[in-house]
Every structure is written in C-alpha cells, then in structure tokens.
Amino acid sequence: MRRKFIFYFIFIILFLLLQTTLLQYITVHGVIPNLLITFAVVTALLRNSTEGAAVGLISGMCLDMQFGPIKGLYALLGLYLGIAAGSVNRRMFRENLMVVIFFTFLYSVAYESVVYIVNNIMSGDIHFIFALTTVILPEAIYNSAISVLLFPLVLKAGRWFEAADVKARKY
Amino acid sequence: MPRFFKSKWFIVSLITIVLLIVMGVTASRSSSMNWLSDILAMPLKPVQTFFTSAGQKIGDFFAYFQDIDKLREENSTLKAEIAELKEENRKYSELKSKNDELRQALKLKDEFDDYSIVGANIIAAEPGNWFHVFKVDVGERDGIKVDSPVVTASRGLVGRVMDTDSATSNIQTIIDEESAVSGWIAKSGGGHAIVKGDLQLKEKGLCKLVYIPIEVDVEAGDIVETSGIGGIYPKGIVIGKVIEVRKTNSELDRYAIIQPAADFKSLEEVFILKSGKNNDTGSADK
C-alpha cells in the first residue's frame, strides 16, 4: 500500500511539473499531449478502475489547484475517466500494448470533448468540428504515443506492488 | 447497512457531491479559497521556475544556430535604421521638452501615473490545449490583485490577473478564448470595439476585433488601444495592429484580425500594473 502511494504521488507531481513547464516548449503543431490523463487511463487499464480513478482524481485536483478559477472540475472529470477506463479491462485482454494505445486514443477524445463542451456551453459558441480536428484528435494521437512510454512503467510498477503483497502474506 | 457505506458507488457519489460543492463555492469571484491553491503553488514554484528557464534555454540554444543568417541581414538593415532614428530622435526630444512644458502648464496627467509597476517572470503555463493562461512568480504577497492589467516591457497589453495565491498568480492573456477587452480604434473617426480571443487564431498568437461600429472605416495597419471602458484596463495601452479585415455576409458582421503588440510566443517576463488607488470594478471587460 505504501509503495503504491509513493509511486503514484511521485509520478503525478513529476508529470504535472513537466506538463506545465518543459512540455510547453515541445509542442507539435501547437498541441501538447496531456501526460496526466494518459497516466490515469494507462493505470486504469493495466491495474484496475480503483487505482485509475484515484490517479485521475488526484491529478485532476493538482490541476485544479494550479490553474483555473473553478476548482473541482478537472478532479471530477479525472475521477470519471479513471472509472470509465477501468471498466474496460474485465472484458479485454490486459497487458496488451495495442489495447492500451487504442483505449488511450478513445478516452482522450472523449475526455477533451467533454472539457471543451463544458467550458464553452455557457457562451454557446461551440465549433465542435474545428476543435475536434485541430486540438482533440492531434492531442489524442500524442497521448497514444505517450502511452507507449507509460505502458512499461505502469506494468513494472504493478509487479513491484504485487511483490510487496506476496512478502506481506508470508508473515 | 455498513456494507453500503463501503461500496464503491457510495464513495464515488460522495466525492462527486463534495467536488460539486467546491466548484459552486469557487465559481463565485469573491470566494476565499485561495489557500487551496497555496498548498501546491508554494512547493512547486521553485521547481517550475527551474524547469521553465531550462525549457527557454533549450529553445534559445536551437534558435542560436537557425538565426545566424537572419541576424546578419537584420543587423545591416538595423544599422541603417538607427541612423535614421537618431536624426528623428533629436527632433522628438525637442518636441518632448516642449510637450512637457505645455502639459505641466495645463496640469495633464498620464494614465499610468496612478499605477506602480511590478516585474514578473513566467514560470508555468496552463497544461491543456484550450486556454492561454500562464503562471508568474509574484502573488498577493507582492500586492498583486485580481484584474490587475499586465503589459510587456514595451507596454503592449498582455492580459489581466485572473487569480492569485500568496506566491504566484495566473495571467489570462488577450488571445485566450474567454478573454474580451474593450478596445478603441485609434485614428480620426475611430470607434469602440471588442478585442476577443479566438480558438482558431490563438495558435498563431492573433486575436479578433468584433462589434466594429458601421461608421468606422477600419483597415489594415490601424492601431487598437484599450478604451478605458470597463474599469480593468487603463485607457491608452496598445493592444495591437489590425492586419486583416474580414467581411462576412453583412457589413454589421465584419471583424478584423489583430496582431497583438505582445509577442506571446517569446514572452518570458511581464509587468503587472498595480493600482495605487482602490478601484472596484463592475465591468464590461472580463
């Protein structure tokens, strides 16, 4: 349990820092990938929906604290993202890279669409197709690429947690 | 019954309700939940400062090699320009001293006189692709308040302070989609219009001029300044230059594209205008 806590805490803070600073200088076509939601989706797929929801919730809370005058929105969306992504893995073969890439793409599109619509619904000025082609789809592709890097990380972390569980059971 | 309280769905709905309450409380402008963002802002500030300056260094390093030819060319044109400007400058300094005398005689005041200026470094940017908001390293402790205007070193409008905590503040730029600034088309026969951010133009660092009055003959090259209406921005800060006028179906519907005076791609430091007097705002600017 302590291992999980330390692992997720360190990586959420690290990804938050990269996301708000260095990544801003490495844009491709003006779009940056979203490390935190990719992390939440990959965790939910490879581990389970509880851990995915926890990562989504905590990283959403961190985003809320750093940016945005309305606090709580990203936390809520992150929580639902983790639950939704985690509900896939019971019916699918886990630990398959292609599955992870595909669902990262799918959930990135869904997540960013909801963010766009929620933010613009008040002004009523929604150009969804434009937003989809210029921001949402490119970002989802980058997120899928990032998921390839996060895949071995979360997989190794999972084995590390399980090793701790086995040890704990011995005593 | 206890099993119900331990079930996942109970926990999820509990968190949802708590977060909805937090959203409701923080949505109002007068909320005092700043301590929430303090928890994270304080420890992250030095690390973000480091990472961002590292990012800028890396960007500068690559630009160094790309720019050499461009710089040589620029250097020769600039030299010619300097000679011209020196001559003009001499004339202007004469005019300026004359102007100062006359102003003093008439007791006119500059708009910026009511403000003191605080320099700030950009340390982080909004993590998503939707907004154009960045974080700077000064906050409430330095006397920064929400809605203080933000400008570049050459006094081009950057935006306004959106929220603050004790050590950092978030700046909403004028190219952010949610931003709207009351502008004045600065020429004879000019008029008021609204400068708005636009999702399609944001990536190029441009924004839009909308609600242009029919009688105003706006064309490329016109300068747009803040109008002072709305109470956030003082009058006369340069917003940018009109680079294109686009007509839609009717005259009423036309809009112009503005190249802001601030270059948002290479912005590293900004200046926040801190009002000396306490001006409360119920405003058209947002």
Side-chain angles (χ1 to χ4, degrees), chain B residues 191-239:
Chain B
H192 292 288
I194 303 288
V195 178
K196 263 189 74 63
D198 186 89
L199 185 62
Q200 311 187 24
L201 298 169
K202 192 187 75 178
E203 275 322 314
K204 294 178 210 128
L206 306 174
C207 52
K208 231 176 172 180
L209 186 70
V210 294
Y211 304 130
I212 306 166
I214 313 173
E215 66 274 12
V216 178
D217 180 28
V218 62
E219 54 197 1
D222 290 350
I223 301 290
V224 181
E225 295 176 346
T226 52
S227 70
I229 297 175
I232 292 180
Y233 305 104
K235 190 169 176 295
I237 303 177
V238 177
I239 298 174

mmCIF file of all heavy atoms in Angstrom, chain B residues 191-239:
data_model
loop_
_atom_site.group_PDB
_atom_site.id
_atom_site.type_symbol
_atom_site.label_atom_id
_atom_site.label_comp_id
_atom_site.label_asym_id
_atom_site.label_seq_id
_atom_site.Cartn_x
_atom_site.Cartn_y
_atom_site.Cartn_z
ATOM 1 N N GLY B 191 -13.507 54.276 -33.358
ATOM 2 C CA GLY B 191 -14.651 53.936 -32.529
ATOM 3 C C GLY B 191 -14.325 52.805 -31.581
ATOM 4 O O GLY B 191 -13.229 52.251 -31.616
ATOM 5 N N HIS B 192 -15.284 52.470 -30.731
ATOM 6 C CA HIS B 192 -15.096 51.389 -29.772
ATOM 7 C C HIS B 192 -15.395 50.041 -30.419
ATOM 8 O O HIS B 192 -16.294 49.933 -31.245
ATOM 9 C CB HIS B 192 -16.040 51.571 -28.582
ATOM 10 C CG HIS B 192 -15.692 52.754 -27.753
ATOM 11 N ND1 HIS B 192 -14.596 52.779 -26.943
ATOM 12 C CD2 HIS B 192 -16.286 53.969 -27.626
ATOM 13 C CE1 HIS B 192 -14.529 53.940 -26.341
ATOM 14 N NE2 HIS B 192 -15.540 54.684 -26.739
ATOM 15 N N ALA B 193 -14.649 49.024 -30.017
ATOM 16 C CA ALA B 193 -14.924 47.664 -30.474
ATOM 17 C C ALA B 193 -14.392 46.721 -29.412
ATOM 18 O O ALA B 193 -13.738 47.156 -28.468
ATOM 19 C CB ALA B 193 -14.252 47.403 -31.817
ATOM 20 N N ILE B 194 -14.698 45.442 -29.562
ATOM 21 C CA ILE B 194 -14.268 44.479 -28.546
ATOM 22 C C ILE B 194 -13.158 43.590 -29.115
ATOM 23 O O ILE B 194 -13.287 43.061 -30.211
ATOM 24 C CB ILE B 194 -15.454 43.586 -28.111
ATOM 25 C CG1 ILE B 194 -16.621 44.419 -27.577
ATOM 26 C CG2 ILE B 194 -15.011 42.562 -27.078
ATOM 27 C CD1 ILE B 194 -16.399 45.042 -26.230
ATOM 28 N N VAL B 195 -12.073 43.451 -28.360
ATOM 29 C CA VAL B 195 -10.996 42.546 -28.756
ATOM 30 C C VAL B 195 -11.215 41.216 -28.043
ATOM 31 O O VAL B 195 -11.256 41.159 -26.826
ATOM 32 C CB VAL B 195 -9.622 43.115 -28.368
ATOM 33 C CG1 VAL B 195 -8.527 42.124 -28.737
ATOM 34 C CG2 VAL B 195 -9.387 44.448 -29.048
ATOM 35 N N LYS B 196 -11.390 40.159 -28.849
ATOM 36 C CA LYS B 196 -11.692 38.849 -28.276
ATOM 37 C C LYS B 196 -10.656 37.816 -28.677
ATOM 38 O O LYS B 196 -10.107 37.870 -29.762
ATOM 39 C CB LYS B 196 -13.059 38.370 -28.791
ATOM 40 C CG LYS B 196 -14.206 38.650 -27.852
ATOM 41 C CD LYS B 196 -15.480 37.967 -28.325
ATOM 42 C CE LYS B 196 -15.456 36.478 -28.105
ATOM 43 N NZ LYS B 196 -15.364 36.078 -26.701
ATOM 44 N N GLY B 197 -10.408 36.881 -27.793
ATOM 45 C CA GLY B 197 -9.560 35.754 -28.159
ATOM 46 C C GLY B 197 -10.365 34.783 -29.013
ATOM 47 O O GLY B 197 -11.589 34.800 -29.007
ATOM 48 N N ASP B 198 -9.666 33.942 -29.760
ATOM 49 C CA ASP B 198 -10.361 33.035 -30.664
ATOM 50 C C ASP B 198 -9.562 31.738 -30.760
ATOM 51 O O ASP B 198 -8.345 31.764 -30.923
ATOM 52 C CB ASP B 198 -10.466 33.700 -32.040
ATOM 53 C CG ASP B 198 -11.302 32.867 -32.984
ATOM 54 O OD1 ASP B 198 -12.518 33.058 -33.005
ATOM 55 O OD2 ASP B 198 -10.713 32.032 -33.705
ATOM 56 N N LEU B 199 -10.254 30.622 -30.651
ATOM 57 C CA LEU B 199 -9.570 29.321 -30.650
ATOM 58 C C LEU B 199 -8.775 29.102 -31.942
ATOM 59 O O LEU B 199 -7.684 28.568 -31.936
ATOM 60 C CB LEU B 199 -10.601 28.202 -30.462
ATOM 61 C CG LEU B 199 -10.043 26.790 -30.313
ATOM 62 C CD1 LEU B 199 -9.164 26.684 -29.086
ATOM 63 C CD2 LEU B 199 -11.164 25.779 -30.246
ATOM 64 N N GLN B 200 -9.351 29.577 -33.070
ATOM 65 C CA GLN B 200 -8.702 29.337 -34.359
ATOM 66 C C GLN B 200 -7.456 30.198 -34.540
ATOM 67 O O GLN B 200 -6.546 29.828 -35.257
ATOM 68 C CB GLN B 200 -9.675 29.603 -35.505
ATOM 69 C CG GLN B 200 -11.006 28.912 -35.279
ATOM 70 C CD GLN B 200 -11.911 29.022 -36.486
ATOM 71 O OE1 GLN B 200 -11.466 29.194 -37.601
ATOM 72 N NE2 GLN B 200 -13.207 28.895 -36.253
ATOM 73 N N LEU B 201 -7.440 31.398 -33.907
ATOM 74 C CA LEU B 201 -6.328 32.319 -34.116
ATOM 75 C C LEU B 201 -5.267 32.201 -33.028
ATOM 76 O O LEU B 201 -4.142 32.670 -33.184
ATOM 77 C CB LEU B 201 -6.848 33.767 -34.140
ATOM 78 C CG LEU B 201 -7.826 34.092 -35.249
ATOM 79 C CD1 LEU B 201 -8.464 35.447 -35.012
ATOM 80 C CD2 LEU B 201 -7.127 34.085 -36.596
ATOM 81 N N LYS B 202 -5.633 31.572 -31.929
ATOM 82 C CA LYS B 202 -4.787 31.527 -30.745
ATOM 83 C C LYS B 202 -3.404 30.965 -31.038
ATOM 84 O O LYS B 202 -2.394 31.509 -30.599
ATOM 85 C CB LYS B 202 -5.484 30.675 -29.683
ATOM 86 C CG LYS B 202 -4.880 30.756 -28.321
ATOM 87 C CD LYS B 202 -5.536 29.759 -27.406
ATOM 88 C CE LYS B 202 -5.054 28.366 -27.732
ATOM 89 N NZ LYS B 202 -5.608 27.337 -26.863
ATOM 90 N N GLU B 203 -3.372 29.882 -31.843
ATOM 91 C CA GLU B 203 -2.099 29.219 -32.101
ATOM 92 C C GLU B 203 -1.113 30.120 -32.822
ATOM 93 O O GLU B 203 0.078 29.992 -32.671
ATOM 94 C CB GLU B 203 -2.325 27.934 -32.906
ATOM 95 C CG GLU B 203 -2.675 26.739 -32.058
ATOM 96 C CD GLU B 203 -1.908 26.706 -30.745
ATOM 97 O OE1 GLU B 203 -0.688 26.934 -30.772
ATOM 98 O OE2 GLU B 203 -2.530 26.468 -29.696
ATOM 99 N N LYS B 204 -1.655 31.056 -33.645
ATOM 100 C CA LYS B 204 -0.775 31.973 -34.360
ATOM 101 C C LYS B 204 -0.478 33.203 -33.526
ATOM 102 O O LYS B 204 0.191 34.132 -33.985
ATOM 103 C CB LYS B 204 -1.430 32.377 -35.677
ATOM 104 C CG LYS B 204 -1.576 31.233 -36.644
ATOM 105 C CD LYS B 204 -2.283 31.713 -37.915
ATOM 106 C CE LYS B 204 -3.077 30.597 -38.541
ATOM 107 N NZ LYS B 204 -4.474 30.967 -38.799
ATOM 108 N N GLY B 205 -1.008 33.256 -32.324
ATOM 109 C CA GLY B 205 -0.767 34.411 -31.459
ATOM 110 C C GLY B 205 -1.568 35.636 -31.867
ATOM 111 O O GLY B 205 -1.188 36.765 -31.581
ATOM 112 N N LEU B 206 -2.695 35.432 -32.550
ATOM 113 C CA LEU B 206 -3.516 36.559 -33.003
ATOM 114 C C LEU B 206 -4.830 36.593 -32.234
ATOM 115 O O LEU B 206 -5.193 35.649 -31.543
ATOM 116 C CB LEU B 206 -3.826 36.421 -34.494
ATOM 117 C CG LEU B 206 -2.633 36.253 -35.430
ATOM 118 C CD1 LEU B 206 -3.104 35.987 -36.845
ATOM 119 C CD2 LEU B 206 -1.757 37.486 -35.394
ATOM 120 N N CYS B 207 -5.562 37.711 -32.351
ATOM 121 C CA CYS B 207 -6.914 37.746 -31.797
ATOM 122 C C CYS B 207 -7.836 38.536 -32.735
ATOM 123 O O CYS B 207 -7.428 38.995 -33.781
ATOM 124 C CB CYS B 207 -6.923 38.287 -30.377
ATOM 125 S SG CYS B 207 -6.090 39.838 -30.161
ATOM 126 N N LYS B 208 -9.074 38.697 -32.309
ATOM 127 C CA LYS B 208 -10.136 39.163 -33.184
ATOM 128 C C LYS B 208 -10.691 40.496 -32.699
ATOM 129 O O LYS B 208 -10.768 40.718 -31.491
ATOM 130 C CB LYS B 208 -11.272 38.142 -33.084
ATOM 131 C CG LYS B 208 -11.824 37.606 -34.354
ATOM 132 C CD LYS B 208 -12.845 36.544 -33.974
ATOM 133 C CE LYS B 208 -13.624 36.042 -35.153
ATOM 134 N NZ LYS B 208 -14.587 35.025 -34.736
ATOM 135 N N LEU B 209 -11.071 41.375 -33.607
ATOM 136 C CA LEU B 209 -11.740 42.617 -33.227
ATOM 137 C C LEU B 209 -13.182 42.515 -33.722
ATOM 138 O O LEU B 209 -13.416 42.414 -34.929
ATOM 139 C CB LEU B 209 -11.043 43.815 -33.877
ATOM 140 C CG LEU B 209 -11.536 45.201 -33.473
ATOM 141 C CD1 LEU B 209 -11.158 45.513 -32.043
ATOM 142 C CD2 LEU B 209 -10.963 46.269 -34.396
ATOM 143 N N VAL B 210 -14.124 42.497 -32.796
ATOM 144 C CA VAL B 210 -15.525 42.310 -33.193
ATOM 145 C C VAL B 210 -16.374 43.489 -32.738
ATOM 146 O O VAL B 210 -15.905 44.349 -32.002
ATOM 147 C CB VAL B 210 -16.105 40.996 -32.610
ATOM 148 C CG1 VAL B 210 -15.423 39.794 -33.215
ATOM 149 C CG2 VAL B 210 -15.986 40.972 -31.106
ATOM 150 N N TYR B 211 -17.626 43.508 -33.176
ATOM 151 C CA TYR B 211 -18.564 44.615 -32.895
ATOM 152 C C TYR B 211 -17.973 45.958 -33.332
ATOM 153 O O TYR B 211 -17.982 46.915 -32.577
ATOM 154 C CB TYR B 211 -18.927 44.658 -31.410
ATOM 155 C CG TYR B 211 -19.511 43.374 -30.886
ATOM 156 C CD1 TYR B 211 -19.026 42.786 -29.735
ATOM 157 C CD2 TYR B 211 -20.550 42.744 -31.560
ATOM 158 C CE1 TYR B 211 -19.541 41.590 -29.260
ATOM 159 C CE2 TYR B 211 -21.082 41.551 -31.099
ATOM 160 C CZ TYR B 211 -20.573 40.982 -29.948
ATOM 161 O OH TYR B 211 -21.075 39.804 -29.477
ATOM 162 N N ILE B 212 -17.417 46.005 -34.548
ATOM 163 C CA ILE B 212 -16.875 47.269 -35.061
ATOM 164 C C ILE B 212 -18.055 48.124 -35.517
ATOM 165 O O ILE B 212 -18.893 47.653 -36.292
ATOM 166 C CB ILE B 212 -15.937 47.001 -36.252
ATOM 167 C CG1 ILE B 212 -14.865 45.989 -35.842
ATOM 168 C CG2 ILE B 212 -15.316 48.281 -36.756
ATOM 169 C CD1 ILE B 212 -14.094 45.389 -36.990
ATOM 170 N N PRO B 213 -18.157 49.371 -35.065
ATOM 171 C CA PRO B 213 -19.289 50.214 -35.486
ATOM 172 C C PRO B 213 -19.286 50.398 -37.012
ATOM 173 O O PRO B 213 -18.220 50.462 -37.628
ATOM 174 C CB PRO B 213 -19.024 51.550 -34.791
ATOM 175 C CG PRO B 213 -18.038 51.271 -33.730
ATOM 176 C CD PRO B 213 -17.267 50.074 -34.134
ATOM 177 N N ILE B 214 -20.495 50.482 -37.613
ATOM 178 C CA ILE B 214 -20.604 50.564 -39.076
ATOM 179 C C ILE B 214 -19.876 51.779 -39.627
ATOM 180 O O ILE B 214 -19.254 51.727 -40.673
ATOM 181 C CB ILE B 214 -22.089 50.668 -39.519
ATOM 182 C CG1 ILE B 214 -22.918 49.623 -38.793
ATOM 183 C CG2 ILE B 214 -22.226 50.508 -41.024
ATOM 184 C CD1 ILE B 214 -24.395 49.769 -39.034
ATOM 185 N N GLU B 215 -19.942 52.885 -38.895
ATOM 186 C CA GLU B 215 -19.407 54.130 -39.449
ATOM 187 C C GLU B 215 -17.875 54.178 -39.417
ATOM 188 O O GLU B 215 -17.276 55.054 -40.029
ATOM 189 C CB GLU B 215 -20.021 55.345 -38.733
ATOM 190 C CG GLU B 215 -19.658 55.488 -37.264
ATOM 191 C CD GLU B 215 -20.578 54.693 -36.337
ATOM 192 O OE1 GLU B 215 -21.359 53.853 -36.839
ATOM 193 O OE2 GLU B 215 -20.507 54.911 -35.105
ATOM 194 N N VAL B 216 -17.258 53.250 -38.728
ATOM 195 C CA VAL B 216 -15.799 53.291 -38.646
ATOM 196 C C VAL B 216 -15.191 52.549 -39.832
ATOM 197 O O VAL B 216 -15.511 51.401 -40.101
ATOM 198 C CB VAL B 216 -15.304 52.665 -37.325
ATOM 199 C CG1 VAL B 216 -13.786 52.678 -37.284
ATOM 200 C CG2 VAL B 216 -15.871 53.414 -36.143
ATOM 201 N N ASP B 217 -14.285 53.231 -40.523
ATOM 202 C CA ASP B 217 -13.648 52.634 -41.691
ATOM 203 C C ASP B 217 -12.337 51.985 -41.245
ATOM 204 O O ASP B 217 -11.275 52.581 -41.334
ATOM 205 C CB ASP B 217 -13.400 53.740 -42.720
ATOM 206 C CG ASP B 217 -12.728 53.193 -43.959
ATOM 207 O OD1 ASP B 217 -12.935 51.993 -44.251
ATOM 208 O OD2 ASP B 217 -12.001 53.950 -44.604
ATOM 209 N N VAL B 218 -12.440 50.748 -40.745
ATOM 210 C CA VAL B 218 -11.242 50.093 -40.215
ATOM 211 C C VAL B 218 -10.476 49.430 -41.349
ATOM 212 O O VAL B 218 -11.063 48.877 -42.276
ATOM 213 C CB VAL B 218 -11.621 49.088 -39.102
ATOM 214 C CG1 VAL B 218 -12.509 47.992 -39.618
ATOM 215 C CG2 VAL B 218 -10.390 48.512 -38.442
ATOM 216 N N GLU B 219 -9.137 49.544 -41.332
ATOM 217 C CA GLU B 219 -8.335 48.923 -42.390
ATOM 218 C C GLU B 219 -7.015 48.412 -41.804
ATOM 219 O O GLU B 219 -6.660 48.765 -40.673
ATOM 220 C CB GLU B 219 -8.089 49.917 -43.523
ATOM 221 C CG GLU B 219 -7.485 51.206 -43.060
ATOM 222 C CD GLU B 219 -7.613 52.328 -44.089
ATOM 223 O OE1 GLU B 219 -8.198 52.093 -45.152
ATOM 224 O OE2 GLU B 219 -7.111 53.413 -43.815
ATOM 225 N N ALA B 220 -6.319 47.603 -42.578
ATOM 226 C CA ALA B 220 -5.064 47.033 -42.100
ATOM 227 C C ALA B 220 -4.103 48.151 -41.735
ATOM 228 O O ALA B 220 -4.000 49.155 -42.443
ATOM 229 C CB ALA B 220 -4.463 46.144 -43.184
ATOM 230 N N GLY B 221 -3.400 47.971 -40.614
ATOM 231 C CA GLY B 221 -2.440 48.979 -40.186
ATOM 232 C C GLY B 221 -2.952 49.856 -39.057
ATOM 233 O O GLY B 221 -2.172 50.533 -38.394
ATOM 234 N N ASP B 222 -4.277 49.853 -38.833
ATOM 235 C CA ASP B 222 -4.824 50.651 -37.741
ATOM 236 C C ASP B 222 -4.364 50.098 -36.390
ATOM 237 O O ASP B 222 -4.290 48.896 -36.200
ATOM 238 C CB ASP B 222 -6.359 50.625 -37.773
ATOM 239 C CG ASP B 222 -6.904 51.401 -38.954
ATOM 240 O OD1 ASP B 222 -6.101 52.094 -39.604
ATOM 241 O OD2 ASP B 222 -8.114 51.305 -39.219
ATOM 242 N N ILE B 223 -4.086 51.015 -35.471
ATOM 243 C CA ILE B 223 -3.674 50.607 -34.124
ATOM 244 C C ILE B 223 -4.904 50.533 -33.225
ATOM 245 O O ILE B 223 -5.774 51.401 -33.285
ATOM 246 C CB ILE B 223 -2.679 51.632 -33.541
ATOM 247 C CG1 ILE B 223 -1.442 51.769 -34.420
ATOM 248 C CG2 ILE B 223 -2.292 51.259 -32.114
ATOM 249 C CD1 ILE B 223 -0.538 50.575 -34.415
ATOM 250 N N VAL B 224 -4.984 49.488 -32.411
ATOM 251 C CA VAL B 224 -6.080 49.370 -31.446
ATOM 252 C C VAL B 224 -5.513 49.510 -30.036
ATOM 253 O O VAL B 224 -4.524 48.864 -29.689
ATOM 254 C CB VAL B 224 -6.795 48.008 -31.593
ATOM 255 C CG1 VAL B 224 -7.937 47.904 -30.605
ATOM 256 C CG2 VAL B 224 -7.305 47.835 -33.011
ATOM 257 N N GLU B 225 -6.139 50.383 -29.242
ATOM 258 C CA GLU B 225 -5.703 50.605 -27.864
ATOM 259 C C GLU B 225 -6.816 50.218 -26.914
ATOM 260 O O GLU B 225 -7.957 50.049 -27.324
ATOM 261 C CB GLU B 225 -5.397 52.097 -27.652
ATOM 262 C CG GLU B 225 -4.248 52.631 -28.455
ATOM 263 C CD GLU B 225 -4.083 54.134 -28.240
ATOM 264 O OE1 GLU B 225 -5.016 54.755 -27.692
ATOM 265 O OE2 GLU B 225 -3.024 54.651 -28.613
ATOM 266 N N THR B 226 -6.489 50.129 -25.626
ATOM 267 C CA THR B 226 -7.559 49.916 -24.657
ATOM 268 C C THR B 226 -8.369 51.210 -24.558
ATOM 269 O O THR B 226 -7.821 52.297 -24.651
ATOM 270 C CB THR B 226 -7.010 49.562 -23.269
ATOM 271 O OG1 THR B 226 -6.046 50.544 -22.897
ATOM 272 C CG2 THR B 226 -6.373 48.201 -23.268
ATOM 273 N N SER B 227 -9.679 51.058 -24.346
ATOM 274 C CA SER B 227 -10.534 52.241 -24.335
ATOM 275 C C SER B 227 -10.706 52.818 -22.941
ATOM 276 O O SER B 227 -11.118 53.950 -22.778
ATOM 277 C CB SER B 227 -11.907 51.863 -24.896
ATOM 278 O OG SER B 227 -12.567 51.036 -23.967
ATOM 279 N N GLY B 228 -10.403 52.010 -21.918
ATOM 280 C CA GLY B 228 -10.614 52.500 -20.555
ATOM 281 C C GLY B 228 -12.016 52.232 -20.056
ATOM 282 O O GLY B 228 -12.304 52.389 -18.877
ATOM 283 N N ILE B 229 -12.903 51.791 -20.957
ATOM 284 C CA ILE B 229 -14.252 51.438 -20.526
ATOM 285 C C ILE B 229 -14.202 50.066 -19.863
ATOM 286 O O ILE B 229 -13.519 49.171 -20.348
ATOM 287 C CB ILE B 229 -15.215 51.364 -21.732
ATOM 288 C CG1 ILE B 229 -15.324 52.729 -22.374
ATOM 289 C CG2 ILE B 229 -16.582 50.872 -21.301
ATOM 290 C CD1 ILE B 229 -16.149 52.740 -23.624
ATOM 291 N N GLY B 230 -14.904 49.898 -18.786
ATOM 292 C CA GLY B 230 -14.933 48.590 -18.150
ATOM 293 C C GLY B 230 -14.154 48.559 -16.852
ATOM 294 O O GLY B 230 -14.422 47.756 -15.988
ATOM 295 N N GLY B 231 -13.190 49.430 -16.725
ATOM 296 C CA GLY B 231 -12.576 49.605 -15.418
ATOM 297 C C GLY B 231 -11.410 48.708 -15.091
ATOM 298 O O GLY B 231 -10.766 48.898 -14.073
ATOM 299 N N ILE B 232 -11.099 47.711 -15.941
ATOM 300 C CA ILE B 232 -9.949 46.870 -15.619
ATOM 301 C C ILE B 232 -8.676 47.505 -16.170
ATOM 302 O O ILE B 232 -7.713 47.720 -15.465
ATOM 303 C CB ILE B 232 -10.120 45.448 -16.198
ATOM 304 C CG1 ILE B 232 -11.246 44.725 -15.475
ATOM 305 C CG2 ILE B 232 -8.823 44.670 -16.073
ATOM 306 C CD1 ILE B 232 -11.494 43.319 -15.956
ATOM 307 N N TYR B 233 -8.700 47.832 -17.464
ATOM 308 C CA TYR B 233 -7.507 48.347 -18.103
ATOM 309 C C TYR B 233 -7.564 49.870 -18.169
ATOM 310 O O TYR B 233 -8.597 50.433 -18.524
ATOM 311 C CB TYR B 233 -7.382 47.800 -19.525
ATOM 312 C CG TYR B 233 -7.414 46.302 -19.580
ATOM 313 C CD1 TYR B 233 -8.543 45.618 -20.002
ATOM 314 C CD2 TYR B 233 -6.303 45.572 -19.187
ATOM 315 C CE1 TYR B 233 -8.569 44.238 -20.036
ATOM 316 C CE2 TYR B 233 -6.326 44.189 -19.216
ATOM 317 C CZ TYR B 233 -7.459 43.529 -19.645
ATOM 318 O OH TYR B 233 -7.485 42.168 -19.677
ATOM 319 N N PRO B 234 -6.448 50.542 -17.856
ATOM 320 C CA PRO B 234 -6.439 51.987 -18.050
ATOM 321 C C PRO B 234 -6.464 52.305 -19.541
ATOM 322 O O PRO B 234 -6.128 51.469 -20.368
ATOM 323 C CB PRO B 234 -5.124 52.419 -17.404
ATOM 324 C CG PRO B 234 -4.270 51.209 -17.383
ATOM 325 C CD PRO B 234 -5.190 50.027 -17.324
ATOM 326 N N LYS B 235 -6.879 53.507 -19.875
ATOM 327 C CA LYS B 235 -7.001 53.913 -21.276
ATOM 328 C C LYS B 235 -5.622 54.037 -21.909
ATOM 329 O O LYS B 235 -4.670 54.433 -21.262
ATOM 330 C CB LYS B 235 -7.700 55.276 -21.297
ATOM 331 C CG LYS B 235 -8.139 55.765 -22.625
ATOM 332 C CD LYS B 235 -9.039 56.976 -22.383
ATOM 333 C CE LYS B 235 -9.462 57.630 -23.680
ATOM 334 N NZ LYS B 235 -8.362 58.215 -24.425
ATOM 335 N N GLY B 236 -5.524 53.669 -23.198
ATOM 336 C CA GLY B 236 -4.338 54.006 -23.969
ATOM 337 C C GLY B 236 -3.214 52.991 -23.971
ATOM 338 O O GLY B 236 -2.130 53.289 -24.442
ATOM 339 N N ILE B 237 -3.425 51.772 -23.468
ATOM 340 C CA ILE B 237 -2.395 50.742 -23.626
ATOM 341 C C ILE B 237 -2.559 50.146 -25.024
ATOM 342 O O ILE B 237 -3.674 49.819 -25.437
ATOM 343 C CB ILE B 237 -2.569 49.607 -22.594
ATOM 344 C CG1 ILE B 237 -2.550 50.145 -21.182
ATOM 345 C CG2 ILE B 237 -1.464 48.560 -22.771
ATOM 346 C CD1 ILE B 237 -2.778 49.086 -20.118
ATOM 347 N N VAL B 238 -1.472 50.008 -25.764
ATOM 348 C CA VAL B 238 -1.579 49.466 -27.126
ATOM 349 C C VAL B 238 -1.918 47.984 -27.059
ATOM 350 O O VAL B 238 -1.246 47.210 -26.391
ATOM 351 C CB VAL B 238 -0.258 49.659 -27.896
ATOM 352 C CG1 VAL B 238 -0.367 49.041 -29.274
ATOM 353 C CG2 VAL B 238 0.069 51.129 -28.010
ATOM 354 N N ILE B 239 -2.995 47.587 -27.746
ATOM 355 C CA ILE B 239 -3.355 46.172 -27.811
ATOM 356 C C ILE B 239 -2.669 45.533 -29.012
ATOM 357 O O ILE B 239 -2.060 44.477 -28.912
ATOM 358 C CB ILE B 239 -4.884 45.983 -27.923
ATOM 359 C CG1 ILE B 239 -5.574 46.542 -26.685
ATOM 360 C CG2 ILE B 239 -5.215 44.507 -28.093
ATOM 361 C CD1 ILE B 239 -7.089 46.532 -26.755
#
